Amino acid sequence: LSVTRLGRQPSVELINTYQRDDGGDSLANFQFQVSWPFGDGGATKARVRAAESQIEEQRIAIWDLERSLRQQVLEIIRDIETAQLQLEINQERVRLASEALDIANFQFANGEIDFRDLQDTQLDLAISRVNLAQTINSLNTSVAQLENLIHDY
């Protein structure tokens, strides 16, 4: 910005020419030239305003990126917290379904329930384990997304 504000500055030039013709005559010419601009019709002010505008646009773009990054991080952290709570719930469901299957096996062995009820209990345990695996996958995905954001920025 400071370079843009300078605009056209005074300049000094020293020009030296030397010529020698076939007859042995030589000519030396020295010129001293000073250029002092009186104004540029507002071009420097316009360039300064354009540069200031670009700087402000870049500040806004950086602010937008920071805000977007903050929003993404908060969203991923919420997803991680939700997945951790869901993980605890699903672990408890697997534990309870496993206990229910143990009870159902005992009851089936004693003839208290039929085979279909035993299969329903086995199915409940399988569904609970699938839900637990999906929750672990979701948690791992959210952690990976957070690590990816950290590496990107």
Side-chain angles (χ1 to χ4, degrees), residues 4-121:
T4 305
R5 282 192 177 112
L6 289 177
R8 290 179 44 210
Q9 296 298 308
S11 64
V12 177
E13 294 181 45
L14 177 60
I15 302 170
N16 178 20
T17 58
Y18 177 77
Q19 292 179 339
R20 186 175 187 159
D21 60 10
D22 291 338
D25 295 329
S26 59
L27 174 69
N29 186 10
F30 292 97
Q31 288 182 332
F32 185 70
Q33 186 176 4
V34 177
S35 172
W36 195 276
F38 291 107
D40 57 3
T44 301
K45 277 188 177 181
R47 283 193 299 271
V48 168
R49 276 192 244 121
E52 288 173 341
S53 175
Q54 288 176 344
I55 289 171
E56 187 61 27
E57 288 173 4
Q58 290 172 352
R59 284 182 184 146
I60 291 171
I62 289 171
W63 180 80
D64 281 342
L65 283 173
E66 288 173 347
R67 189 174 55 107
S68 173
L69 177 62
R70 202 174 309 122
Q71 182 75 21
Q72 289 174 353
V73 168
L74 289 175
E75 185 176 316
I76 291 172
I77 288 173
R78 270 188 252 122
D79 290 345
I80 289 172
E81 290 173 348
T82 301
Q84 286 173 334
L85 292 174
Q86 191 64 43
L87 181 67
E88 291 175 14
I89 291 169
N90 286 340
Q91 285 172 337
E92 182 64 18
R93 284 182 178 167
V94 167
R95 188 187 66 76
L96 292 174
S98 180
E99 287 178 8
L101 182 60
D102 289 342
I103 293 170
N105 279 331
F106 179 77
Q107 288 176 336
F108 179 73
N110 291 333
E112 297 175 20
I113 60 171
D114 60 5
F115 186 71
R116 182 171 170 93
D117 292 333
L118 179 63
Q119 284 182 325
D120 287 343
T121 308

